[in-house]
Amino acid sequence: MAIHTSDIVIVGGGVAGCATAVAFGRQGRTVVLLERSLAQPERVVGELLQPGGVRALHSLGMGDCLKNIDAVPCHGYRVSYFNESVNIPYPDDPNAPGERPEGCSFQHGRFIQNLRQAAINAPNVTVVEAKATDLLRDEDTGKVLGVLGCSVGDSKKVTEYYGSLTIVCDGYASSFRKGYLPNKPSSQSKFWALELIDAKLPEPYYGHVFLSDAPPILVYQISPRQTRIFMDVPTGLPSASPAAGGIKSHMLSVVLPRLPPGCQNSFRDAVARGKFRSMPNSFLPPSEQKVPGLLFLGDALNMRHPLTGGGMTVAFNDVLLISKLLAPENVPSLDNTRAVLEQIGHFHWARKRSSSLINILAMALYTLFAAKDTALAALKTGCFRYFQIGGRCKHEPCGMLAGLIRSPWVLVYHFFAVAFYSVWLVVAEAPIWKIPYTVVAATMIIWKACCVIGPYLIWELMP
């Protein structure tokens, strides 16, 4: 059995893993990065990077990874509710006055290959195509010492990769999370994805969200000719059941009529090609990490509904933060387990400044946009009308979604502003004889708003 020793062993050569390898390698730490396949991945997630994520990527010195992949700029969102629409452009970045923020969308696989190439080119980093099969652990102290990995194509060729710190970035279906983190991912729906060719969106360079009485639909360009469409399908949705004709029938009967005319022909062609892909929409609250020698990052640690496209923004900001906390000037030797654990403890709370708002916003918005009862439907209508007011009512929510505004209390303010505005809309439209019913409905709207955002506030902000 071969043995490899380095300062840091990283499991997973995706978004978080590659960025972590580059960040620590440039600090002078020796890093080995294990990835089971270095072939270009064909996943449909991780295709939209918000402005806050673009900024973090540049802060990591990896901005060039967005070049030469036919990336498309993103200037904000266009939200459509039945036959009405409102443009919600990204606001000015409060940390960079005068600069217009810009997001970026692209083919996931091409972006990942650029990230991997950056890791290969980084000093002190060794990238190995190998499958991590187990974590090596000291039975006496409980400290994780590294990873057991087998060579791709030769399972008998096994190597022990030892490191002062092992960082697990193996994604949403993490092989190691269950044994070391207390929280488990939950999922209530799936995103079904198709690739549209030469679709004409109502507003170029904007992400489009289509709302109605059906589950939400997300559409954005990923190259000059390619457009991604994600269709949310909650578990047990009648229109997607086998008895109703399955997912293809749902696409043609429910999704197609709700798309703009410029997308409908390309959508029909995509359905006919039949290359359907799905992914679970998962929620995984972050956990405090107290296992010596071990750190989880990326989707292995924390997930939120992908409707708002915040996953990569959280990942890059996490990498930027942990690389500063564990920099040689703060922790000269990663063998100092106590010092490393102390910094990882700081990381758990400090990351909330960038991640908590994105997590809460994603889950709260999805709950509204996928409304199934009267009170939630009223909140969804109120949310859309709130955006139509303009000014602060749309700029600050978009700034939060973009990862530019980081205070969760700004989200709380706007969320309950939407709730009371929804109440006002219900009261204003009701005839006098319905006032008793309206009072009950208004009470239910406020109560439902508390039920929507309350659990996520507790998960994210409470000790």
Side-chain angles (χ1 to χ4, degrees), residues 8 10 12 14-33 57-63 65 112 114-127 167 316 319-320 323:
I8 297 173
I10 299 174
V15 171
C18 290
T20 304
V22 172
F24 283 111
R26 289 176 177 172
Q27 292 179 354
R29 310 283 197 189
T30 55
V31 180
V32 60
L33 172 64
L57 189 65
H58 281 283
S59 296
L60 289 165
M62 300 175 68
C65 293
I112 291 297
N114 273 4
L115 292 176
R116 289 174 177 171
Q117 192 59 51
I120 291 170
N121 295 338
N124 307 305
V125 176
T126 302
V127 178
I167 303 178
F316 287 134
V319 173
L320 188 61
S323 64

Side-chain angles (χ1 to χ4, degrees), residues 422-461:
S422 302
V423 168
W424 185 87
L425 291 175
V426 169
V427 171
E429 295 175 359
I432 295 178
W433 63 271
K434 275 193 173 182
I435 287 179
Y437 167 80
T438 304
V439 171
V440 174
T443 303
M444 287 303 300
I445 289 172
I446 299 301
W447 170 249
K448 187 64 73 170
C450 294
C451 292
V452 167
I453 200 170
Y456 301 114
L457 284 172
I458 293 172
W459 272 115
E460 291 288 338
L461 302 180

Side-chain angles (χ1 to χ4, degrees), residues 211-262:
L211 305 176
S212 63
D213 53 357
I217 303 165
L218 176 63
V219 184
Y220 53 87
Q221 282 182 273
I222 56 173
S223 80
R225 292 193 62 201
Q226 297 163 296
T227 295
R228 175 69 65 207
I229 179 169
F230 280 118
M231 298 152 280
D232 185 74
V233 179
T235 302
L237 185 69
S239 59
S241 67
I247 189 63
K248 183 174 181 179
S249 175
H250 171 79
M251 291 177 180
L252 295 175
S253 63
V254 177
V255 177
L256 178 63
R258 289 163 173 80
L259 297 179

Side-chain angles (χ1 to χ4, degrees), residues 137-438:
R137 192 168 182 175
D138 187 312
E139 294 182 2
D140 294 326
T141 65
K143 180 178 180 178
V144 172
L145 304 176
V147 172
L148 189 67
C150 65
S151 177
V152 175
D154 185 1
S155 59
K156 294 182 180 180
K157 186 178 180 181
V158 179
T159 302
E160 292 179 338
Y161 296 92
Y162 286 96
S164 302
L165 178 63
T166 299
I167 303 178
V168 176
C169 308
D170 59 346
Y172 77 95
S174 174
S175 301
F176 304 109
R177 178 198 300 125
K178 183 178 179 180
Y180 295 91
L181 295 181
N183 295 331
K184 299 178 181 179
S186 60
S187 175
Q188 297 179 338
S189 70
K190 285 184 177 182
F191 256 162
W192 285 82
L194 289 174
E195 185 179 286
L196 312 184
I197 304 299
D198 295 330
K200 294 182 180 179
L201 294 172
E203 194 72 39
Y205 308 120
Y206 273 66
H208 290 64
V209 181
F210 297 99
L211 305 176
S212 63
D213 53 357
I217 303 165
L218 176 63
V219 184
Y220 53 87
Q221 282 182 273
I222 56 173
S223 80
R225 292 193 62 201
Q226 297 163 296
T227 295
R228 175 69 65 207
I229 179 169
F230 280 118
M231 298 152 280
D232 185 74
V233 179
T235 302
L237 185 69
S239 59
S241 67
I247 189 63
K248 183 174 181 179
S249 175
H250 171 79
M251 291 177 180
L252 295 175
S253 63
V254 177
V255 177
L256 178 63
R258 289 163 173 80
L259 297 179
C263 294
Q264 291 191 358
N265 286 337
S266 57
F267 182 77
R268 287 192 190 93
D269 292 341
V271 173
R273 288 195 299 271
K275 295 182 179 180
F276 305 152
R277 295 182 182 175
S278 67
M279 54 165 285
N281 295 325
S282 302
F283 171 60
L284 174 66
S287 308
E288 286 195 78
Q289 304 187 64
K290 299 179 180 181
V291 178
L294 180 63
L295 173 68
F296 285 83
L297 289 176
D299 284 351
L301 170 67
N302 182 205
M303 290 185 280
R304 77 294 306 149
H305 196 285
L307 178 68
T308 56
M312 289 191 293
T313 297
V314 170
F316 287 134
N317 276 298
D318 279 355
V319 173
L320 188 61
L321 174 60
I322 195 63
S323 64
K324 291 178 179 178
L325 289 172
L326 294 178
E329 57 267 27
N330 295 322
V331 183
S333 172
L334 296 178
D335 286 324
N336 187 340
T337 302
R338 182 176 180 179
V340 171
L341 278 176
E342 185 177 332
Q343 293 298 77
I344 290 175
H346 292 327
F347 169 72
H348 175 75
W349 296 106
R351 72 181 293 273
K352 290 180 179 293
R353 186 170 180 269
S354 60
S355 67
S356 289
L357 189 146
I358 293 174
N359 292 340
I360 298 168
L361 181 64
M363 300 308 297
L365 278 183
Y366 173 70
T367 303
L368 296 193
F369 291 170
K372 295 180 181 179
D373 61 39
T374 303
L376 281 177
L379 281 168
K380 177 166 64 174
T381 301
C383 184
F384 180 75
R385 300 297 179 206
Y386 190 77
F387 292 154
Q388 287 183 314
I389 295 173
R392 185 184 180 189
C393 296
K394 72 175 183 180
H395 292 150
E396 288 190 355
C398 196
M400 292 185 285
L401 183 148
L404 302 175
I405 296 175
R406 296 187 170 191
S407 171
W409 304 116
V410 176
L411 171 60
V412 173
Y413 166 80
H414 283 285
F415 193 85
F416 281 100
V418 166
F420 284 104
Y421 188 60
S422 302
V423 168
W424 185 87
L425 291 175
V426 169
V427 171
E429 295 175 359
I432 295 178
W433 63 271
K434 275 193 173 182
I435 287 179
Y437 167 80
T438 304

